[in-house]
Amino acid sequence: MQAADQLVATKLRELLADQPRKFISREQDRAGTEAFYRDRDYAPLWTTDGSPNARASGAIAYLRGVAIDGLDPADYPIPDFSAASEPEARAKADLALTDSVLTFARHARTGRVHYTRVSGAILYELQYPEPAEVLSKLVASDNPAETLNSFNPQQPGYVALKAKLAEERARSSEQSEAVVRVPAGPLLRPGMEDIRVPILRKRLKVADDPDSLRYDETVVDAVKGFQREAGLLPDGLLGSNTLARLNGANASARLDVVDTIVANMERWRWLPRDLGAKHVMLNIPDYTLAVYDQGKTVWSTRVVVGKPGRMSTPLLSETIKSITVNPTWNVPPSIIHNEYLPALRQDPGALERIGLKVVQNANGTIRIYQPPGAGNALGRIRFNFPNKFLVYQHDTPDKHLFAHPKRAYSHGCMRVQDPDKYAEVLLSLTQPADGYSSDRIRGMYGKGERNIALGHPMPVHLTYQTAYVDAAGDLQLRPDIYGRDAQTLAVLKNGERPDADTPVARRNSSAKPVVARLPSRQQQGGFFSFFFQ
């Protein structure tokens, strides 16, 4: 160790022993940081012989450019090494850069916003980087930027959004270009002629036939492309909503898209880095479920998800362990409390008429259930992935709901449009030799429950992607039906942000059994008495 570095090492030892809280901001990082420096005899990490080394130059340049990943460079302050002429000042600068690097690595891997600050209906197992892991990787690396970037998600979905973020920011900064305004008028349909079409061609940069009045296929396709980017239905019709977007505050609209992408990139950081070679991903605001094998979509279907509010479908990662054919529906305690007991109070026969059974267990708890059958609320198949929210995926007798463009109707569970095919796909991937097919599964329909254990549990990720890049490379935007974008951005943009990655306590959804006195039919009208705990 050079003499200059030895003097800095002495100061590093003193600062970490006496004032670690002052230099390493996160309590959980202090012991690991001190151990890392101790193992290298407190040699400075970022300077050599009194001057910033290549490792420092690479890390500083990277931290200054983290906006490309939707992060804020201001969160990772850079010390002024040129002003640090004395050993103690150099030691403080060394620890300051270490703290910024550790903060970045934590944010890159697990997010700037802890999910508990967004909603109690989110649960992921975050893997925080250890200080020694981060710093040791940098010591062993010849490319600090590449090493730091490795803490960001590497999934194709995240990488594609990152590219779109750069594109949208570039477009929002193009203020010098005057916007061509398209005049108002009647609804314009494909094949019609209108004096506004040449202006529309200019606005959308359609070079063919610039003076043509015909709203032809080329212009229609350009309008559809604009509608997709603006989050509108890409029907190719030039109506008032599309006109408003064409003529509106485009920079503001672009900034809204930028914010939406940033919120989605933040949620990618909550997901496991390894989604599984074979896995299921359900996108709540897109109302779709897809099965992946080696990075490729092998099958997808429509789903119905939970209603906004207390019945929203949670975000989580779990594993599908089994499939139940002819499931019994055991009504969740929340539905018993909030819906069925009040119904029984008014009409003792209400549940019986819709095929529900009510029993009182020996311990006084109430069980309401629906036996297997064609009218069962779960349909013919349930896909089981145990979780604290007591949600699962299942069939439904209400098939008509899948025709709706917005499909948020359930109590939190996910209804699958083609459950027998879904079962076939899962079983073909996990145990192909067993020869399960849709026909074979339908042949199992009946009155008795039948459970099929998956040979290899299938990872399932319940996600909330209001912005994603489709197979054609186009950015897709979806409505923020649960307000998760708004909640995330609110935390990022207010004064809480220094503590935003710290979890907060949330009251879990109660699964406590309902305790009541079973209704006894009374003389006039069958009124009930209930006693709850």
Side-chain angles (χ1 to χ4, degrees):
M1 193 185 304
Q2 300 287 341
D5 293 340
Q6 186 62 61
L7 293 173
V8 176
T10 299
K11 291 299 180 181
L12 281 168
R13 183 195 301 268
E14 294 173 359
L15 294 174
L16 287 170
D18 300 336
Q19 308 175 56
R21 183 184 300 272
K22 186 175 180 180
F23 299 104
I24 305 300
S25 56
R26 186 169 180 263
E27 181 179 357
Q28 295 92 324
D29 290 343
R30 290 169 196 153
T33 302
E34 199 280 335
F36 171 81
Y37 275 95
R38 183 177 63 245
D39 289 346
R40 50 190 281 117
D41 292 329
Y42 296 93
L45 180 59
W46 306 108
T47 59
T48 302
D49 197 18
S51 299
N53 52 33
R55 183 185 305 127
S57 300
I60 289 170
Y62 183 83
L63 292 178
R64 285 174 172 162
V66 295
I68 63 174
D69 279 283
L71 303 175
D72 186 348
D75 288 340
Y76 319 109
I78 305 300
D80 184 0
F81 283 100
S82 65
S85 57
E86 299 299 322
E88 183 171 347
R90 291 176 187 169
K92 290 179 178 179
D94 209 85
L95 291 176
L97 184 53
T98 291
D99 189 49
S100 288
V101 164
L102 293 177
T103 301
F104 162 78
R106 184 174 71 255
H107 287 177
R109 181 174 284 182
T110 61
R112 287 179 289 169
V113 177
H114 196 277
Y115 59 76
T116 55
R117 292 180 179 266
V118 175
S119 171
I122 305 174
L123 180 63
Y124 290 110
E125 185 177 348
L126 301 181
Q127 299 292 328
Y128 292 97
E130 293 293 334
E133 171 200 1
V134 178
L135 302 176
S136 296
K137 280 187 174 182
L138 284 162
V139 168
S141 173
D142 294 327
N143 190 330
E146 185 178 276
T147 300
L148 290 173
N149 185 57
S150 70
F151 291 98
N152 281 308
Q154 304 298 315
Q155 293 100 328
Y158 174 89
V159 174
L161 273 184
K162 178 177 176 178
K164 291 299 180 184
L165 177 64
E167 290 179 16
E168 293 299 326
R169 281 179 168 159
R171 291 179 184 180
S172 66
S173 66
E174 293 173 356
Q175 301 294 328
S176 59
E177 182 179 350
V179 175
V180 177
R181 295 185 61 83
V182 182
L187 179 67
L188 197 55
R189 300 178 182 276
M192 295 174 64
E193 290 192 354
D194 192 290
I195 59 173
R196 297 173 295 162
V197 173
I199 303 173
L200 185 60
R201 290 175 184 272
K202 184 177 181 181
R203 169 68 179 84
L204 296 174
K205 298 181 175 61
V206 177
D208 296 346
D209 298 323
D211 299 321
S212 173
L213 303 181
R214 181 167 292 279
Y215 190 38
D216 60 22
E217 184 177 347
T218 304
V219 189
V220 171
D221 287 344
V223 168
K224 287 181 178 179
F226 175 84
Q227 289 170 327
R228 277 191 290 268
E229 289 187 0
L232 301 172
L233 178 68
D235 56 11
L237 303 179
L238 186 66
S240 57
N241 286 340
T242 301
L243 269 176
R245 290 297 185 94
L246 283 167
N247 296 331
N250 292 289
S252 176
R254 289 292 175 196
L255 289 175
D256 289 344
V257 174
V258 166
D259 279 348
T260 298
I261 294 174
V262 168
N264 278 268
M265 292 173 74
E266 185 73 6
R267 284 192 291 273
W268 269 102
R269 303 180 195 280
W270 301 341
L271 285 166
R273 285 300 187 266
D274 182 5
L275 299 176
K278 299 176 176 65
H279 67 271
V280 176
M281 185 170 285
L282 186 144
N283 184 0
I284 293 168
D286 192 48
Y287 310 109
T288 56
L289 173 155
V291 181
Y292 292 84
D293 185 9
Q294 306 299 329
K296 295 182 179 180
T297 304
V298 296
W299 184 76
S300 64
T301 191
R302 295 183 174 191
V303 296
V304 169
V305 300
K307 301 173 185 177
R310 292 187 300 107
M311 298 180 185
S312 62
T313 296
L315 311 188
L316 56 82
S317 287
E318 264 299 344
T319 54
I320 301 175
K321 295 179 170 60
S322 65
I323 298 171
T324 302
V325 183
N326 309 316
T328 296
W329 181 40
N330 291 296
V331 182
S334 60
I335 299 179
I336 295 177
H337 248 305
N338 299 329
E339 299 180 29
Y340 286 172
L341 286 179
L344 278 172
R345 186 190 302 273
Q346 298 298 320
D347 179 358
L351 302 188
E352 185 176 338
R353 286 197 300 274
I354 60 174
L356 292 174
K357 308 294 184 182
V358 185
V359 296
Q360 186 164 25
N361 300 316
N363 61 1
T365 59
I366 292 292
R367 179 191 178 209
I368 299 180
Y369 68 96
Q370 188 178 32
N376 187 284
L378 306 185
R380 293 294 193 174
I381 307 177
R382 183 182 66 221
F383 302 87
N384 308 307
F385 45 96
N387 60 87
K388 79 163 192 173
F389 301 104
L390 304 180
V391 297
Y392 35 81
Q393 296 162 354
H394 61 86
D395 183 19
T396 176
D398 296 325
K399 302 293 188 182
H400 66 281
L401 296 178
F402 295 109
H404 295 192
K406 298 178 181 178
R407 298 186 290 278
Y409 299 112
S410 81
H411 285 79
C413 289
M414 296 131 279
R415 308 172 191 174
V416 182
Q417 183 175 24
D418 298 312
D420 45 3
K421 181 64 177 179
Y422 184 29
E424 175 190 314
V425 172
L426 293 181
L427 294 168
S428 295
L429 289 173
T430 61
Q431 50 227 70
D434 291 349
Y436 282 99
S437 66
S438 297
D439 289 340
R440 180 181 173 187
I441 291 164
R442 284 192 293 271
M444 298 167 66
Y445 290 173
K447 294 184 178 181
E449 282 196 353
R450 300 182 65 175
N451 288 299
I452 307 171
L454 269 64
H456 303 281
M458 177 75 74
V460 57
H461 309 286
L462 309 187
T463 69
Y464 192 85
Q465 300 177 57
T466 54
Y468 65 93
V469 180
D470 64 17
D474 296 326
L475 178 66
Q476 297 292 329
L477 300 173
R478 296 293 180 264
D480 185 15
I481 59 172
Y482 292 167
R484 302 293 183 244
D485 287 350
Q487 292 155 333
T488 301
L489 293 167
V491 177
L492 286 175
K493 294 182 178 184
N494 70 19
E496 291 185 13
R497 202 170 83 187
D499 299 318
D501 63 348
T502 303
V504 295
R506 288 274 189 178
R507 188 169 67 178
N508 295 340
S509 301
S510 175
K512 184 179 179 181
V514 176
V515 180
R517 180 184 301 168
L518 256 186
S520 57
R521 295 186 181 274
Q522 306 295 323
Q523 291 181 350
Q524 298 174 351
F527 291 100
F528 295 168
S529 297
F530 296 104
F531 299 90
F532 304 101
Q533 289 184 356

